[in-house]
Amino acid sequence: MIVKLSGRLVQKSDQAVVIDVNGVSYEVVVPVSVIERIDQNVSPDGKVELIVHHYLQLGPSSGAPVLVGFLNEVERDFFLQFITVSGIGPRAAVKALSKPISEIAAAIEEGNEKILKTLPGIGAQKAKDIIAKLQGKMGKFGLMKGSAGRAERPATGGGEPAVREEAVAILLQLQYKKEEARTMVDKAFR
């Protein structure tokens, strides 16, 4: 099984990249959220390293190996969690990951169907399924760095509301449910 590719970036399209690894070129399917940041991760000599999920796409009379690439293991871990939802396979997940992973993770944790429905291929029922399967498991993905090198979570202003939100975010990282975290923070402030 292929888990990592390191080589020269030869070609980039909207949905895939081609990486030359010592004369062997691999086509790697990548989510939009990754392709938007790939240029920032290419070294001066044109090389890039991708963490890969390798699977076999089965057709009616044949199968083809498919590589799905990510810039780090946390992104791949999110993807692997995402495809555990019934009806979301690797291809659908790649298509759906059009927004930053931390934003999608936050929407799942908050139970925000509206944001999830804006993802390509995700309708109302699929958004409900995603929340039902993954809510409470997304805490570690909410603090991933964004394309600008900052944490991709909503900025809070100053004062008590900011402290409350920060405390809730920390408790979510510790795998508390959102309502339970809010209750604990409210008690602490009282």
Side-chain angles (χ1 to χ4, degrees), residues 6 38 41 56 73 79 83 85 89 106 120 122 126-127 139 154 169 188:
S6 185
I38 203 158
N41 290 279
L56 187 63
E73 291 182 17
F79 175 82
I83 62 175
V85 176
I122 305 297
K126 193 67 66 192

Side-chain angles (χ1 to χ4, degrees), residues 74-82 97 101 104 138 141:
V74 177
E75 290 176 342
R76 182 182 61 192
D77 291 348
F78 178 85
F79 175 82
L80 293 174
Q81 285 278 342
F82 203 70
L97 298 181
I101 286 173
I104 297 169
M138 297 285 106
F141 305 110

Side-chain angles (χ1 to χ4, degrees), residues 21-38:
V21 180
N22 299 323
V24 179
S25 293
Y26 294 90
E27 180 181 48
V28 183
V29 178
V30 290
V32 171
S33 62
V34 172
I35 205 113
E36 290 173 343
R37 295 177 294 124
I38 203 158

Side-chain angles (χ1 to χ4, degrees), residues 109 164-189:
E109 282 300 313
R164 284 178 180 265
E165 287 304 311
E166 183 73 19
V168 169
I170 290 168
L171 290 170
L172 291 175
Q173 292 297 305
L174 296 172
Q175 304 300 315
Y176 285 95
K177 299 280 185 194
K178 186 151 187 118
E179 288 308 310
E180 188 177 13
R182 287 197 188 282
T183 302
M184 291 170 70
V185 169
D186 289 342
K187 282 182 183 177
F189 270 89

